[in-house]
Amino acid sequence: MARLSNDSAELAPRTSFDGRELRFELPGLEIGVAEYDEGPTGCTVFVFPDGAACSTDVRGGSPGVSGAGYPLVHAICLAGGSLYGLEAAAGVAAELLAQRGYRTGWLEIPLVAGAIIFDWGPRDNAVYPDKELGRAALRAARPGVFPLGARGAGRSATARKLFAYEQGEPAGQGAAFRRVGETAVGVFTVVNAVGAIVDREGNVVRGHYDRESGLRGALVPGVEERLAAGRPVRPPPGNTTLTVVVTNLRLDPRQLQTLGRQVHASMGRAIQPFHALEDGDVLFAVSTGAVESDPLLDTTALGVVASEVAWDAVLSVAG
């Protein structure tokens, strides 16, 4: 019998969900989520109808990303399906083209960036987020709502995996939002990391779970004990954390790049280890530019706030 795939299955996009969600107010941003239950896998699309400045920070040894050099974006598509999931970003671009009346002028081409996670670890099929799923996610986009947990691009994401635990623990997508004066910051992340999720007290709340001992994190037998027992200390491939940081504060290209680097580096507090060889971590820093300036926040202070919001976003994955 042929393995279930996009070519052999009659796939139906799902775009309506129950469960946990973040509600926020950030004009200029709409979010759409679509899934194939047959995978299960999905994609999460961030839409900026008026365009938004963007800087991309790529880390880890195994990234899969498109449109990383765009200084302006109209949409960002995060997806499962590893390399094949980049097709969903092409679907987002195709749907934007249709919504714009198929105009093809030099300055009318929609700019869509994309990034993917490897989410085939927990599932045994070849279903991936394709062009139709990307189109469905864009059509479902709306402001102010972001589904949390095993939804969208994080439908089959896991947090694991340091000591060769094949399946890890379910993870997914998380988000958090904060407003300081007129400045708003939202962080949205899909955690499929080789590392574990760690809270502010240093406790592992998801991942590094040893099914044999029932222990987690620092309590799990260490590297020396595993080597002595002949057990592997070798993380499996196929991991990645994808993040979108959005602010309404206007930032020039250098400020936006610095914000992305600062927040991405800070996330190593919440995910340990982070940016490993087996990870393909990508962060998009985006500014809608609605707020010209803020006397309360310079770029570094904004980065401090956004870094704390990012930690909250990662923790929200685990509930």
Side-chain angles (χ1 to χ4, degrees):
M1 183 176 178
R3 194 177 188 204
L4 187 69
S5 70
N6 294 56
D7 296 330
S8 62
E10 294 184 8
L11 302 173
R14 178 185 176 191
T15 58
S16 179
F17 309 97
D18 297 322
R20 294 189 302 126
E21 61 185 20
L22 172 73
R23 291 190 172 266
F24 62 96
E25 185 177 352
L26 211 170
L29 168 64
E30 300 174 1
I31 296 174
V33 173
E35 297 177 6
Y36 285 143
D37 288 333
E38 294 84 352
T41 189
C43 63
T44 302
V45 177
F46 304 82
V47 185
F48 306 93
D50 298 322
C54 182
S55 178
T56 308
D57 192 55
V58 180
R59 305 193 183 199
S62 307
V65 60
S66 62
Y70 294 159
L72 177 79
V73 292
H74 297 96
I76 296 170
C77 179
L78 310 182
S82 191
L83 179 67
Y84 309 108
L86 289 176
E87 184 182 316
V92 172
E95 186 64 24
L96 282 172
L97 177 65
Q99 292 181 5
R100 294 177 176 204
Y102 298 98
R103 299 190 301 273
T104 56
W106 174 249
L107 297 179
E108 296 177 308
I109 303 298
L111 299 177
V112 179
I116 47 84
I117 67 169
F118 182 99
D119 64 348
W120 270 303
R123 56 193 185 96
D124 185 24
N125 58 61
V127 175
Y128 64 90
D130 56 12
K131 187 175 180 179
E132 289 308 311
L133 197 67
R135 297 187 77 141
L138 183 70
R139 290 193 293 266
R142 56 179 175 152
V145 181
F146 184 87
L148 300 170
R151 295 267 71 99
R155 177 69 188 271
S156 285
T158 55
R160 36 204 205 275
K161 308 162 190 169
L162 187 57
F163 297 115
Y165 308 138
E166 289 81 2
Q167 300 300 325
E169 293 186 274
Q173 60 183 25
F177 177 79
R178 193 168 303 172
R179 185 176 295 277
V180 180
E182 295 184 2
T183 299
V185 180
V187 179
F188 310 90
T189 189
V190 177
V191 179
N192 188 54
V194 68
I197 296 175
V198 180
D199 68 17
R200 285 179 168 81
E201 286 70 49
N203 301 310
V204 174
V205 297
R206 190 62 57 89
H208 295 357
Y209 177 74
D210 185 275
R211 289 179 174 80
E212 294 182 16
S213 65
L215 300 175
R216 183 193 300 281
L219 299 176
V220 173
V223 173
E224 293 184 4
E225 291 88 343
R226 287 174 176 273
L227 289 173
R231 300 175 63 188
V233 183
R234 183 176 60 254
N239 315 288
T240 282
T241 296
L242 307 177
T243 306
V244 178
V245 179
V246 184
T247 181
N248 60 354
L249 185 63
R250 186 180 298 277
L251 300 173
D252 65 33
R254 183 167 179 261
Q255 291 172 326
L256 197 56
Q257 180 186 58
T258 300
L259 175 68
R261 289 174 174 173
Q262 186 175 344
V263 176
H264 214 185
S266 81
M267 291 175 68
R269 300 177 298 170
I271 301 172
Q272 298 178 16
F274 199 37
H275 304 327
L277 179 65
E278 297 83 7
D279 284 316
D281 305 323
V282 181
L283 181 145
F284 299 95
V286 182
S287 168
T288 64
V291 174
E292 191 69 35
S293 63
D294 191 330
L296 297 178
L297 293 173
D298 63 8
T299 307
T300 301
L302 176 63
V304 171
V305 172
S307 294
E308 293 304 313
V309 178
W311 203 338
D312 289 338
V314 172
L315 291 175
S316 75
V317 169

